[in-house]
């Protein structure tokens, strides 16, 4: 008994050491959302305005296309897709995803380039954990979706943040990329359309990113989960267009464009026409990761070919039109709030990052305090930028019914007026 207890003690010590050597103990999105919800007052009978998430599915204007629902029902009722799937997914599904992505590329992908995952999160985890080797580092944008920091930290990768430039539409600061990269840098992560910034990179800027990656010998991990959710001046361009300059692993899912985040169907795709990744140690590791990981639900997989093929352009246009209207609403109202500055009108995705000036507010210590008191006083949930390492910024989702978004913004405006030092 003593020996077993001693072994457990050593194990615990090793775990403690491992945790301490990982990511800094900062506020996570889930913890922040829990803290905000604890502030909600039961005697305030107004509806909660959820502006701190990327899930538009509760709102009637963001229903998935009927063809997607029908495809899932048909697959489930057929009784042919109730069992396990071998080989990382149904071949017809992988082929459909390859054809879907190939429409945006100057070359064609095959089903062998596609790996199905349980949502985009598993694809990210597979890619990043497979890159981890002793002493290696990865370049992440600042600000970035916080899951990347978490995945890199638990994988033992050293995290180096390159800057996004708000004054240039949140473009990549390529000088900071070059300054940070060294012989131990394994990859550069690029999120386009941007979460949390609402940016959409131009063809020219992506080409410059590819040139820099080629110069530095870097793999690019392109998070394109918000693919084609672009409603500003620049259309969506896949990073894989430049795959001949630098190898690209792209990750995506049905979640955002088809408004079904709970269906948990994602993919990891190699867009690498020169074949650098083919039979590489990295791909062997990714395959090994996915062999022991859970697969997406079989009946959801079976619905994918019909969803990708039969969803009409009108559905996607309507979603983008609503988000465009939401982006205009949030940008216009935020311009009227003195303590908040919005560097750019959102061009894509469902988010915007705004700067908070606490110097003109009474009884507000920082962005976390602002969000907690806003939840308590107005039942509006906005995420503090500190969850992304951006102190005194706010991370706001605008994927709501336009009328609900306006209500939430007016509550924020009233809250700021009450706490303002300016008469």
């Amino acid at each position: 008994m003593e020996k077993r207890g001693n072994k457990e003690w050593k194990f615990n010590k090793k775990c403690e050491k491992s945790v301490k050597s990982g990511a800094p103990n900062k506020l996570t999105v889930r913890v922040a959302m829990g803290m905000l919800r604890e502030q909600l007052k039961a005697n305030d009978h107004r509806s909660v305005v959820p502006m701190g998430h990327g899930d538009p599915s509760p709102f009637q204007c963001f229903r998935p296309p009927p063809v997607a629902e029908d495809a899932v029902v048909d697959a489930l009722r057929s009784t042919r897709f109730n069992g396990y799937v071998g080989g990382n997914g149904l071949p017809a599904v992988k082929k459909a995803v390859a054809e879907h992505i190939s429409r945006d590329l100057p070359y064609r992908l095959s089903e062998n380039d596609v790996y199905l995952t349980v949502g985009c999160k598993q694809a990210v985890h597979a890619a990043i954990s497979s890159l981890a080797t002793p002493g290696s580092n990865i370049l992440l944008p600042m600000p970035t979706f916080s899951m990347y920091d978490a995945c890199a930290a638990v994988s033992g990768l050293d995290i180096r943040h390159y800057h996004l430039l708000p004054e240039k539409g949140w473009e990549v600061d390529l000088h900071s990329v070059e300054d940070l990269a060294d012989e131990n840098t394994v990859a550069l992560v690029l999120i386009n359309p941007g979460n949390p910034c609402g940016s959409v990179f131009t063809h020219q800027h992506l080409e410059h990113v590819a040139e820099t990656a080629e110069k530095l010998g870097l793999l690019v991990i392109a998070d394109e989960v918000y693919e084609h959710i672009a409603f500003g001046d620049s259309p969506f361009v896949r990073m894989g267009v430049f795959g001949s300059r630098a190898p690209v692993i792209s990750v995506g899912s049905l979640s955002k464009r088809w408004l079904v985040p709970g269906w948990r169907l994602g993919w990891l795709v190699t867009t690498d026409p020169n074949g650098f990744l083919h039979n590489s140690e990295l791909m062997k590791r990714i395959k090994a990761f996915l062999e022991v990981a859970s697969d997406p639900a079989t009946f959801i997989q079976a619905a994918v070919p019909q969803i990708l093929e039969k969803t009409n352009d009108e559905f996607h246009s309507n979603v983008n039109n609503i988000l465009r209207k939401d982006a205009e609403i949030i940008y216009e109202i935020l311009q009227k709030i003195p303590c908040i500055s919005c560097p750019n009108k959102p061009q894509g995705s469902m988010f915007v990052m705004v700067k908070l000036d606490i110097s003109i507010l009474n009884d507000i210590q920082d962005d976390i305090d602002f969000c907690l008191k806003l939840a308590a006083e107005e039942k509006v949930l906005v995420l503090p930028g500190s969850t992304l390492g951006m102190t005194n910024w706010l991370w706001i989702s605008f994927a709501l019914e336009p009328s609900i978004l306006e209500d939430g913004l007016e509550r924020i405006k009233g809250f700021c007026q009450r706490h303002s030092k300016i008469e």
Side-chain angles (χ1 to χ4, degrees):
M1 292 295 293
E2 233 175 84
K3 193 172 182 182
R4 287 208 320 245
N6 188 43
K7 281 186 176 180
E8 184 170 345
W9 179 84
K10 288 181 179 178
F11 174 76
N12 287 339
K13 286 293 184 183
K14 288 180 180 179
C15 285
E16 288 174 10
K17 184 177 180 181
S18 175
V19 170
K20 288 176 182 176
S21 66
N25 184 21
K26 68 176 185 178
L27 184 66
T28 66
V29 172
R30 288 188 177 182
V31 170
M33 286 301 297
M35 291 168 57
L36 295 176
R37 292 191 181 279
E38 287 175 0
Q39 305 303 309
L40 301 177
K41 296 178 179 177
N43 60 356
D44 185 342
H45 300 295
R46 293 176 296 177
S47 298
V48 176
V49 181
M51 300 170 68
H53 63 75
D55 183 358
S57 61
F59 303 103
Q60 190 63 33
C61 66
F62 291 119
R63 286 291 303 274
V67 67
E69 297 171 338
D70 292 343
V72 171
V73 171
D74 291 345
L76 187 60
R77 286 182 172 167
S78 74
T79 72
R80 294 187 294 117
F81 304 105
N82 294 333
Y84 294 125
V85 178
N88 184 243
L90 297 166
V93 180
K94 298 168 73 173
K95 181 180 179 181
V97 173
E99 291 175 350
H100 166 70
I101 294 177
S102 294
R103 297 187 191 110
D104 299 325
L105 299 175
Y107 52 90
R108 298 202 64 77
L109 304 175
S110 76
E111 64 185 73
N112 295 326
D113 297 308
V114 177
Y115 302 84
L116 299 181
T117 59
V118 181
C120 189
K121 182 178 288 188
Q122 190 186 68
V124 170
H125 193 188
I128 289 183
S129 65
S130 299
L131 284 164
T133 56
S136 57
N137 65 76
I138 190 167
L139 305 185
L140 304 181
M142 176 58 74
T144 187
F145 183 44
S146 56
M147 181 188 66
Y148 280 96
D149 286 82
C151 282
V154 299
S155 299
L157 281 164
D158 178 33
I159 300 167
R160 301 183 179 182
H161 289 109
Y162 66 84
H163 298 297
L164 300 179
L165 303 171
E167 68 276 11
K168 293 187 176 181
W170 297 103
E171 285 187 349
V172 175
D173 181 351
L174 296 174
H175 294 297
S176 71
V177 169
E178 294 199 33
D179 289 343
L180 291 168
D182 61 21
E183 67 276 6
N184 295 317
T185 305
V186 291
L188 177 149
V189 171
L190 188 80
I191 305 174
N192 181 52
N195 175 11
C197 300
S199 53
V200 177
F201 297 141
T202 65
H203 184 283
Q204 182 182 40
H205 182 60
L206 290 174
E207 187 171 21
H208 291 160
V209 173
E211 289 170 355
T212 302
E214 180 183 32
K215 175 183 175 181
L216 299 172
L218 295 180
L219 166 74
V220 178
I221 298 176
D223 184 331
E224 297 173 341
V225 73
Y226 290 95
E227 60 169 69
H228 292 289
I229 302 181
F231 38 80
D233 297 329
S234 299
F236 168 67
V237 177
R238 289 193 185 278
M239 191 65 201
V241 168
F242 309 100
S244 60
R245 304 295 299 267
V248 177
I249 287 178
S250 64
V251 295
S253 75
L254 291 180
S255 300
K256 307 302 183 181
R257 198 177 181 208
W258 280 268
L259 308 173
V260 288
W263 291 9
R264 312 309 298 145
L265 191 289
W267 49 76
L268 180 153
V269 180
T270 56
T271 51
D272 172 37
N274 293 325
F276 290 122
L277 296 175
H278 185 62
N279 287 331
S280 66
E281 182 61 30
L282 171 60
M283 295 314 300
K284 291 176 183 177
R285 290 185 177 197
I286 288 174
K287 291 174 185 177
F289 178 101
L290 294 175
E291 281 176 4
V292 298
S294 297
D295 293 322
T298 311
F299 70 95
I300 298 292
Q301 287 191 48
V304 169
Q306 188 173 332
I307 293 171
L308 296 180
E309 179 184 349
K310 295 186 178 180
T311 303
N312 58 42
D313 292 338
E314 184 181 1
F315 167 78
H316 296 304
S317 295
N318 287 340
V319 171
N320 277 357
N321 286 337
I322 296 168
L323 289 171
R324 180 185 295 108
K325 181 178 180 180
D326 281 346
E328 290 170 352
I329 290 170
I330 196 168
Y331 186 71
E332 180 181 344
I333 295 179
L334 289 178
Q335 297 288 83
K336 299 174 183 177
I337 304 176
C339 66
I340 294 176
S341 57
C342 184
N344 302 279
K345 183 190 295 185
Q347 303 292 302
S349 80
M350 303 172 179
F351 302 94
V352 64
M353 285 290 289
V354 299
K355 179 70 173 173
L356 181 64
D357 184 358
I358 61 169
S359 69
I360 60 175
L361 294 173
N362 282 313
D363 304 321
I364 302 294
Q365 298 177 7
D366 54 25
D367 57 315
I368 299 174
D369 193 35
F370 179 96
C371 293
L372 290 172
K373 289 176 178 174
L374 177 66
E377 295 180 27
E378 297 291 349
K379 294 189 79 170
V380 175
L381 304 182
V382 168
L383 281 169
S386 293
T387 59
L388 310 174
M390 298 282 285
T391 303
N392 291 336
W393 286 74
L394 303 175
W395 177 21
I396 305 176
S397 170
F398 53 84
L400 291 78
E401 293 269 7
S403 60
I404 297 174
L405 177 64
E406 287 182 339
D407 177 33
L409 289 166
E410 289 299 328
R411 294 191 206 178
I412 294 173
K413 184 178 177 182
F415 172 84
C416 291
Q417 288 172 342
R418 286 197 308 276
H419 289 270
S420 177
K421 295 177 181 178
I422 303 172
E423 299 247 343

